[in-house]
Amino acid sequence: MSVLPPDLDEAGFATFLEQLRGAVGADWVWSGEADMFPYRDSFSPVWNTGEERHASAAVAPADVEQVSEIVRIARRHRVPLFPISTGKNFGYGGPSPNVNGSVVLDLKRMNRVIEINEARAYALVEPGVSYFDLYREIQERGLKLMVDCPDPGWGSPIGNSLERGVGYTMPHFRDHFGAHCGMEVVLPDGEVMRTGMGALPGSDTWQEYPYGFGPDPAGLFAQGPFGVVTKMGFRLLPLPEYYRSGMISVPRRADFAKLVDHVNYLSDSGLIGEVEFGSPLSALMGDPQFLALATKTGGPSNAEMDAAAEAAGLHSWHVELQIFGPEATTLANWNYASDRILSDIPGAIAIAGDHFPLPATDDQLDNQTQPYRSSIKRRRSLGVPSLGAWKIVRDDGHVGFFPVLPRTAEAVFEMQRVLGDAMKEFPTLPPFFNALTMPLFWHTHTFQMVFAPSIKHDDPAHNAITHAAMKKCVAVAAQHGWGDYRAAPIYQDDVSDTYGFNNHILRRFHEQLKDAIDPDGIIAPGRGGVWPRRFRS
Amino acid sequence: MISRREVIKWGAAAPAFAACSHAAFASGVQGCDAFLLDQRFAAQVPQNHWGIPVMRFDGDVTGHWYQTIDPAWRQRGYVLGGITGSDALFVLETLAQQHGRRVVSRSQVGAADARGIAPVSWIIAPVHPSVVA
Ligand SMILES: Cc1cc2nc3c(=O)[nH]c(=O)nc-3n(C[C@H](O)[C@H](O)[C@H](O)COP(=O)(O)OP(=O)(O)OC[C@H]3O[C@@H](n4cnc5c(N)ncnc54)[C@H](O)[C@@H]3O)c2cc1C
């Protein structure tokens, strides 16, 4: 389906494209249905419906000067640009824009790893650098640094962190935007700005002190429509000498409260990396009677769940711990963690897991040697990019709603109940929220849960259910104070609506900024629910 | 740019891979620089078939991507054929698009499983002027 940019006719569009070709070369501008197919969101629940968002063209600049030139051309023609880095944002809109007819500013050619400093543990990269690229550079140069990767390694540190994406190593590195340090941005008028110490000519601390002096606007560029990021620095974890894992399980449902508190303490103290919570009872979900209990309206009681656990001879919960550091320290941390939990929770059991020096061997990365059944994906836990995440994708893809909730068992149980009951309206979807749904400890200081219903290109009825369920989940969660951390363009307004404190002052503030620097909406209008005046009506 | 003739040739070749008869396979792989076999669906083809390297994997293409395909796709040329699950093809096709390459031929060669994954026989070739041989 070919579309035009808003307020532009065929002739105006042709002139605009001609000017883009003049800026970057004819080979790096695409339009027309076949060429634009890759810029559709193949995970879209509104695939092939009137709600799907289509770009009109794509342009791939080679450097920051060309980015500025493209922005100036777009400004002259009032054409919205939608910048992407590697464009793999599947589950959250893929490479597709908020506004129909936008031109995708595809930064894939800007793929230089500009600097990696081993002694000072940072990297400075361009948007087209993928996690694989950064990892390869580190390996080939034999540097002792670890990259914190998202599950699929084909995305980019810049694209992922601008979505506030997450990884799986130590707490402060898992929050990818939090681990950034310094950025270069092309503003909606084509000017190039650097944040933090990058604003001080001659400074050598751009990737070490993020703030510089005065207000720091860096946060506006994450999930925001304020500029095109052309360089970004990232803090890297020095490659730990040793990795150690272990599992601790607790018998009763109510024990989860103490288990979570201990894990919080260990994490906040920097003693452990990412953890995986789980329940041995999930083995019973194939039994219809147990399934009915775990998905019971209003949630099962602790006594009912404990009785089921006892009958099956299983513990209620477990947590897999991962520890990084020198070998002796990892052992001390494991001993400390298991003593701490076992001495506080009667009946808790600790099983020491795999441990080995880093870098890991292929067998260790494949995680075949644990003395227990592990759900840890070792590659991502050890900062090794992978494409294996595709094994978990069902049908033609999925959309994601990941509500943020407090790190307490009480909040976990409440979300299980509330969203479990709400989603009963959609009986054909899997019971994402049930009495065993585990919190994910991805961001540094908070939990999330996952709701990721699938989509099917040839089944619009199924997609409509997924779409309705997403909207309902966002709304019901918000009624309980749980907000989504990130959303596809088709849901960004719904999510933004839920962040409504004081008559949506946060959004109104963003709109004032947008109106001031980009009234025509040249950069990603609508991203993060922020629309300029031109599109608000 | 690949020629129309080549597209037609590859269009005929992909289904031939799937037949896995040695003769069909031999004619099909002509013009391919390497061949990717997803062992979940096709296990019989020998390691080095008619001089063309055959890369085997079990659904997760990471190792071959990192070791072979990514470095090859940074250069000009390199036509890749394969019989893989549709999930693995989605991964490769998406990566291909970013590297100036496209699926120029594909045919589903079996029914989809419960997760919606079907075996597909395909060819990915360079199409952008910056990477055509
Ligand atoms: C199976 C599966 C597992 C996943 N696991 C994870 C995971 O573990 N962690 C995680 O975080 N995500 C995960 N994702 C989501 C997604 O795949 C990744 O976050 C991916 O890294 C995002 O794509 P990208 O890096 O190519 O970013 P892009 O698609 O390039 O960028 C994302 C968005 O950021 C904005 N943007 C990008 N570049 C710029 C720029 N230079 N200037 C201004 N704005 C820009 C755009 O709005 C763009 O749409 C998963 C998805 C799937 C399907």
Side-chain angles (χ1 to χ4, degrees):
Chain A
M1 178 181 152
S2 291
V3 289
L4 288 172
D7 310 324
L8 208 63
D9 60 16
E10 291 278 3
F13 187 45
T15 310
F16 167 73
L17 291 181
E18 209 36 55
Q19 291 182 8
L20 287 186
R21 289 189 193 102
V24 300
D27 289 343
W28 300 106
V29 178
W30 299 272
S31 63
E33 198 166 334
D35 279 347
M36 293 311 293
F37 188 83
Y39 294 102
R40 287 177 69 180
D41 173 18
S42 62
F43 280 32
S44 174
V46 292
W47 180 257
N48 274 346
T49 74
E51 272 191 84
E52 192 187 343
R53 315 280 166 97
H54 296 268
S56 59
V59 54
D63 53 34
V64 66
E65 288 76 21
Q66 288 189 1
V67 174
S68 285
E69 182 56 18
I70 291 166
V71 170
R72 290 196 182 100
I73 294 169
R75 199 176 165 91
R76 278 203 299 278
H77 293 264
R78 299 177 79 230
V79 172
L81 298 171
F82 187 75
I84 60 169
S85 291
T86 36
K88 306 292 190 296
N89 205 13
F90 295 110
Y92 306 99
S96 76
N98 293 68
V99 170
N100 263 325
S102 299
V103 170
V104 175
L105 180 51
D106 186 342
L107 301 167
K108 64 181 177 183
R109 290 171 74 199
M110 296 173 62
N111 58 2
R112 285 179 311 146
V113 176
I114 297 165
E115 185 187 356
I116 303 180
N117 191 314
E118 184 180 32
R120 289 155 69 190
Y122 67 75
L124 179 66
V125 298
E126 290 188 322
V129 171
S130 69
Y131 285 97
F132 275 108
D133 297 337
L134 183 55
Y135 175 79
R136 189 186 290 283
E137 179 89 9
I138 288 171
Q139 297 310 302
E140 287 179 358
R141 287 170 54 187
L143 305 177
K144 290 203 174 310
L145 292 168
M146 188 186 258
V147 180
D148 189 292
C149 304
D151 211 339
W154 61 2
S156 47
I158 292 189
N160 183 276
S161 63
L162 292 179
E163 276 283 275
R164 303 202 194 98
V166 291
Y168 302 91
T169 67
M170 290 297 282
H172 291 92
F173 296 89
R174 296 203 296 269
D175 169 3
H176 290 164
F177 188 75
H180 101 274
C181 195
M183 59 171 79
E184 180 185 87
V185 190
V186 174
L187 297 173
D189 61 1
E191 284 243 53
V192 181
M193 178 178 84
R194 288 185 175 178
T195 65
M197 298 309 292
L200 180 73
S203 147
D204 184 29
T205 44
W206 192 19
Q207 274 61 67
E208 293 182 313
Y209 185 61
Y211 309 120
F213 183 74
D216 174 25
L220 293 173
F221 304 105
Q223 296 185 6
F226 294 104
V228 182
V229 176
T230 47
K231 290 185 185 69
M232 216 161 149
F234 292 94
R235 304 296 314 161
L236 301 176
L237 183 66
L239 183 71
E241 289 172 19
Y242 208 80
Y243 168 86
R244 184 178 297 274
S245 56
M247 179 186 271
I248 296 175
S249 68
V250 296
R252 287 160 300 270
R253 183 162 173 86
D255 293 335
F256 196 54
K258 282 185 171 177
L259 186 64
V260 166
D261 288 348
H262 287 299
V263 167
N264 289 344
Y265 176 84
L266 295 167
S267 177
D268 292 345
S269 306
L271 298 177
I272 54 172
E274 197 239 354
V275 303
E276 294 269 340
F277 289 104
S279 172
L281 301 181
S282 52
L284 307 179
M285 287 297 260
D287 167 1
Q289 224 179 332
F290 182 81
L291 178 67
L293 179 65
T295 55
K296 183 175 163 181
T297 303
S301 68
N302 285 356
E304 286 173 306
M305 290 299 282
D306 286 347
E310 213 173 303
L314 293 169
H315 272 193
S316 290
W317 308 110
H318 63 233
V319 65
E320 292 189 62
L321 302 182
Q322 305 185 89
I323 301 168
F324 299 91
E327 181 175 359
T329 316
T330 62
L331 183 59
N333 287 4
W334 165 247
N335 287 337
Y336 174 75
S338 44
D339 287 352
R340 185 183 166 97
I341 297 172
L342 268 53
S343 62
D344 192 38
I345 304 179
I349 292 172
I351 314 172
D354 249 4
H355 55 95
F356 44 79
L358 295 176
T361 64
D362 278 343
D363 281 350
Q364 289 162 343
L365 288 173
D366 289 341
N367 199 8
Q368 303 293 349
T369 47
Q370 281 291 24
Y372 46 80
R373 211 168 144 202
S374 170
S375 20
I376 288 195
K377 295 185 193 161
R378 273 280 171 67
R379 283 174 203 274
R380 70 184 199 186
S381 286
L382 298 179
V384 179
S386 160
L387 296 166
W390 250 256
K391 285 186 169 173
I392 63 165
V393 174
R394 290 181 67 88
D395 301 330
D396 289 315
H398 57 245
V399 269
F401 169 64
F402 292 85
V404 173
L405 70 156
R407 288 184 301 170
T408 67
E410 199 188 355
V412 169
F413 294 161
E414 193 190 351
M415 187 174 280
Q416 290 173 346
R417 261 194 319 271
V418 168
L419 295 182
D421 288 355
M423 288 302 103
K424 286 205 159 41
E425 187 185 329
F426 307 100
T428 52
L429 299 182
F432 283 94
F433 299 100
N434 60 67
L436 301 184
T437 305
M438 286 292 90
L440 308 163
F441 197 175
W442 289 345
H443 277 112
T444 313
H445 303 297
T446 194
F447 280 168
Q448 287 170 299
M449 278 195 190
V450 54
F451 180 66
S454 77
I455 64 102
K456 301 178 185 178
H457 287 170
D458 59 359
D459 192 345
H462 170 85
N463 297 345
I465 291 170
T466 290
H467 194 36
M470 281 292 290
K471 289 195 175 240
K472 176 151 189 186
C473 231
V474 169
V476 173
Q479 286 159 13
H480 292 79
W482 306 314
D484 199 358
Y485 93 111
R486 169 181 182 188
I490 51 167
Y491 301 117
Q492 285 173 10
D493 290 331
D494 299 277
V495 175
S496 158
D497 272 346
T498 66
Y499 286 79
F501 170 76
N502 190 15
N503 191 22
H504 293 96
I505 181 61
L506 181 61
R507 185 165 64 199
R508 286 185 288 120
F509 175 68
H510 287 150
E511 285 170 353
Q512 281 177 358
L513 293 176
K514 186 70 177 163
D515 287 347
I517 66 164
D518 188 16
D520 283 338
I522 300 311
I523 308 294
R527 177 149 161 80
V530 183
W531 294 93
R533 192 175 297 116
R534 175 183 177 198
F535 291 102
R536 277 209 291 279
S537 55
Chain B
M1 198 68 76
I2 55 162
S3 69
R4 200 178 134 67
R5 229 180 90 232
E6 281 169 316
V7 172
I8 291 164
K9 180 186 85 184
W10 284 325
F17 295 157
C20 260
S21 90
H22 282 213
F25 191 81
S27 67
V29 293
Q30 279 167 26
C32 283
D33 293 291
F35 202 80
L36 208 52
L37 269 194
D38 191 336
Q39 301 197 115
R40 294 175 301 170
F41 302 104
Q44 308 92 326
V45 179
Q47 197 68 30
N48 194 313
H49 208 73
W50 276 273
I52 294 164
V54 175
M55 299 180 266
R56 289 158 188 283
F57 70 109
D58 285 306
D60 177 1
V61 78
T62 305
H64 294 305
W65 167 252
Y66 187 74
Q67 300 296 340
T68 311
I69 303 168
D70 181 19
W73 281 1
R74 288 160 193 262
Q75 318 292 327
R76 286 180 173 275
Y78 202 76
V79 177
L80 185 63
I83 301 174
T84 68
S86 44
D87 51 350
L89 176 58
F90 172 76
V91 171
L92 287 161
E93 181 167 16
T94 308
L95 287 162
Q97 283 151 354
Q98 207 184 343
H99 290 77
R101 291 147 201 281
R102 270 213 195 137
V103 175
V104 292
S105 159
R106 89 178 75 211
S107 63
Q108 185 171 325
V109 294
D113 66 13
R115 286 176 58 224
I117 296 165
V120 185
S121 146
W122 49 262
I123 291 174
I124 294 176
V127 291
H128 191 265
S130 62
V131 290
V132 287

